[in-house]
């Protein structure tokens, strides 16, 4: 199944967040949220595992280790990261691609952890609620003055005073809110450096990243009103960051070479899947024989239809690292999408084994088993997919493949239920309810399947959707 070019089926693919996010997502993401859709998300076991390892010590230092904070990769090429709901850090794939060292992206993640540790979202909501109340009071007072002016005639000046009473407080309140947000950003910078120091890591990556964006934004910020900025003015922020970052005893500490290689492999994978083929070859020319370069070229080769050459390139990578689960995953994914699902099963079994049964890779194996058209694999596919879904319940592809497996077995009640669950995760509530309603007629009343189907039928419609 192709979600959006240039992605294909497999564990590096697009899905949708079930929970829409708000605050600082910009007009496009906000529009998607209003339509009941979250921002488009990229899923990849290799990248997610590395990001978990990046954030684990930082979260521990922040006292958030037990909060189950998730790192979510957004399908956006711009460099950006943000928090929006107190339990997830969102990071654009562009930030991963543009971060040349682990320390640079770890610094960004530490900054976002500073927002979480400081409870900035909850506090900002309180400030917004307070500001809204103040604005309502100002508008009521202003409206009262306008009405009094209208009764007393234009000459008494109350109408003009009323208009001023409406507009002036709103401007003051807005400036106060923006100032509060700027202070939050400064606090997050300081907290990020504190967490990095506590974990024996350098804050230089954070400083270098913010300084780069300062240099790029100086022209855009020229003449801007510092009191109308939600973030500190770039040069002021970086100067403040430089002072306390340089004080860290780990300023000059370098990334471990093995970690740098894994980071480079992640960037190569993102480039191979997300960038045009000519861009990939400019970034990783044939003269570059490093493992990341070979990884990126193998991916873009299979994506653009040269399966034979891609498999040869992937096999060369496997020879270099015979216990790398993601090379076997890529081989299986390429064969599956190349119309050879039976051949994809063996490398995907190996990938599952080497990855300690990573659920997204299990889903890919389940897909290969279902696509093989061998009914002998049906029960195995159902078992694998159910196990994967139990640990990764927000990936629609798992439920979609499970529905196909149940359909092949003739269990149409479970097939309808799995299809309904997949539709629900995609944000298609109408289809989900229709399928769940049909599933209810196939299950005995009160059974677990009937209850799950009833939950979907009874679910509230997403924002902007009519409950048909």
């Amino acid at each position: 199944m192709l979600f959006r070019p240039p992605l294909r089926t497999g564990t590096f693919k697009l899905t949708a967040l079930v929970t829409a996010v708000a605050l600082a997502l910009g007009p496009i993401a906000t529009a998607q949220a209003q339509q009941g859709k979250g921002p488009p998300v990229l899923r990849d076991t290799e990248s997610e595992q590395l990001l978990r390892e990046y954030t684990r010590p930082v979260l521990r230092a922040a006292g958030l280790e037990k909060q189950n904070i998730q790192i979510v990769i957004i399908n956006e090429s711009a460099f950006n990261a943000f928090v929006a709901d107190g339990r997830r850090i969102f990071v654009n794939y562009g930030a991963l691609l543009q971060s040349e060292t682990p320390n640079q992206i770890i610094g960004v993640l530490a900054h976002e952890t500073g927002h979480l540790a400081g409870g900035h979202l909850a506090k900002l909501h309180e400030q917004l609620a307070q500001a809204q109340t103040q604005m309502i009071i100002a508008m009521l007072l202003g409206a009262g003055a306008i009405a009094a002016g209208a009764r007393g005639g234009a000459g008494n000046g109350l109408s003009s005073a009323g208009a001023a009473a409406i507009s002036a407080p709103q401007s003051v309140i807005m400036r106060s809110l923006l100032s509060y947000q700027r202070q939050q950003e400064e606090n997050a910078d300081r907290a990020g450096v504190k967490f990095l120091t506590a974990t024996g890591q350098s804050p230089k990556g954070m400083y270098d990243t913010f300084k780069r964006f300062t240099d790029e934004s100086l022209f855009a910020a020229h003449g801007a009103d510092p009191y109308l900025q939600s973030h500190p003015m770039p040069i002021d922020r970086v100067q403040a960051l430089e002072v306390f970052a340089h004080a860290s005893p780990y300023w000059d500490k370098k990334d471990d070479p093995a970690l740098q290689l894994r980071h480079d492999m992640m960037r190569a994978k993102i480039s191979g899947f997300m960038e045009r083929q000519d861009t990939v070859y400019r970034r990783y020319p044939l003269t570059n024989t490093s493992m990341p370069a070979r990884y990126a070229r193998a991916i873009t080769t299979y994506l653009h239809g040269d399966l034979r050459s891609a498999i040869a390139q992937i096999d060369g990578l496997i020879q270099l690292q015979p216990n790398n689960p993601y090379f076997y995953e890529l081989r299986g994914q390429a064969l599956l999408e190349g119309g050879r699902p039976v051949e994809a099963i063996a490398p995907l079994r190996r990938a599952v084994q080497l990855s300690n049964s990573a659920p997204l890779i299990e889903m890919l194996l389940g897909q290969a088993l279902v696509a093989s058209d061998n009914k002998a694999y049906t029960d195995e596919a159902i078992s694998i997919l159910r196990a994967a879904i139990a640990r990764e319940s927000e990936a629609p592809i798992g439920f979609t493949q499970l529905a196909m497996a149940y359909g092949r077995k003739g269990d149409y009640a479970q097939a309808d239920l799995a299809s309904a669950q997949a539709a629900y995760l995609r944000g298609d509530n109408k289809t989900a309810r229709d399928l769940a309603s049909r599933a209810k007629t196939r299950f005995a009343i009160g059974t677990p399947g009937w209850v799950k189907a009833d939950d979907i039928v009874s679910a509230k419609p997403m924002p902007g959707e009519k409950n048909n």
Side-chain angles (χ1 to χ4, degrees), residues 19-172:
T19 304
V21 299
L23 292 176
L25 299 188
I28 295 177
T30 301
Q32 289 176 322
Q34 290 172 347
Q35 295 169 8
K37 301 176 181 178
V41 175
L42 294 176
R43 300 300 310 275
D44 175 58
T45 301
E46 182 176 13
S47 303
E48 291 175 358
Q49 176 61 32
L50 185 59
L51 292 176
R52 279 194 293 270
E53 292 180 29
Y54 284 170
T55 55
R56 190 175 296 123
V58 174
L59 292 172
R60 187 182 303 118
L64 299 174
E65 184 181 18
K66 297 182 179 180
Q67 299 301 313
N68 193 29
I69 305 297
Q70 302 295 315
I71 310 299
V72 180
I73 305 172
I74 301 295
N75 181 32
E76 292 290 346
S77 61
F79 193 113
N80 194 24
F82 56 91
V83 293
D85 60 7
R87 62 185 182 88
R88 286 177 288 191
I89 298 175
F90 297 86
V91 55
N92 289 4
Y93 82 77
L96 304 179
L97 188 60
Q98 295 177 51
S99 295
E100 297 179 355
T101 67
N103 188 242
Q104 290 178 0
I105 195 64
I106 291 172
V108 172
L109 295 171
H111 168 87
E112 299 305 328
T113 301
H115 282 304
L116 293 176
H120 291 172
L121 282 175
K123 293 176 182 178
L124 181 58
H125 280 300
E126 292 175 3
Q127 290 287 321
L128 288 171
Q130 181 180 351
Q132 185 178 31
T133 300
Q134 292 173 342
M135 287 183 181
I136 291 173
I137 293 172
M139 291 176 68
L140 290 174
L141 292 174
I146 291 174
R151 289 193 299 270
N156 62 15
L158 286 176
S159 295
S160 299
I166 292 176
S167 61
Q170 291 185 20
S171 175
V172 172

Side-chain angles (χ1 to χ4, degrees), residues 178-216:
L178 293 173
S179 175
Y180 181 77
Q181 285 185 271
R182 289 196 301 274
Q183 186 59 54
Q184 284 188 331
E185 293 299 326
E186 293 174 0
N187 291 343
D189 287 346
R190 291 180 178 274
V193 171
K194 175 184 175 182
F195 301 148
L196 292 170
T197 301
T199 55
Q201 300 184 86
S202 172
K204 187 175 185 300
M206 178 195 292
Y207 170 75
D208 288 344
T209 298
F210 290 165
K211 186 177 186 304
R212 175 161 61 92
F213 285 106
T214 296
D215 295 341
E216 293 174 357

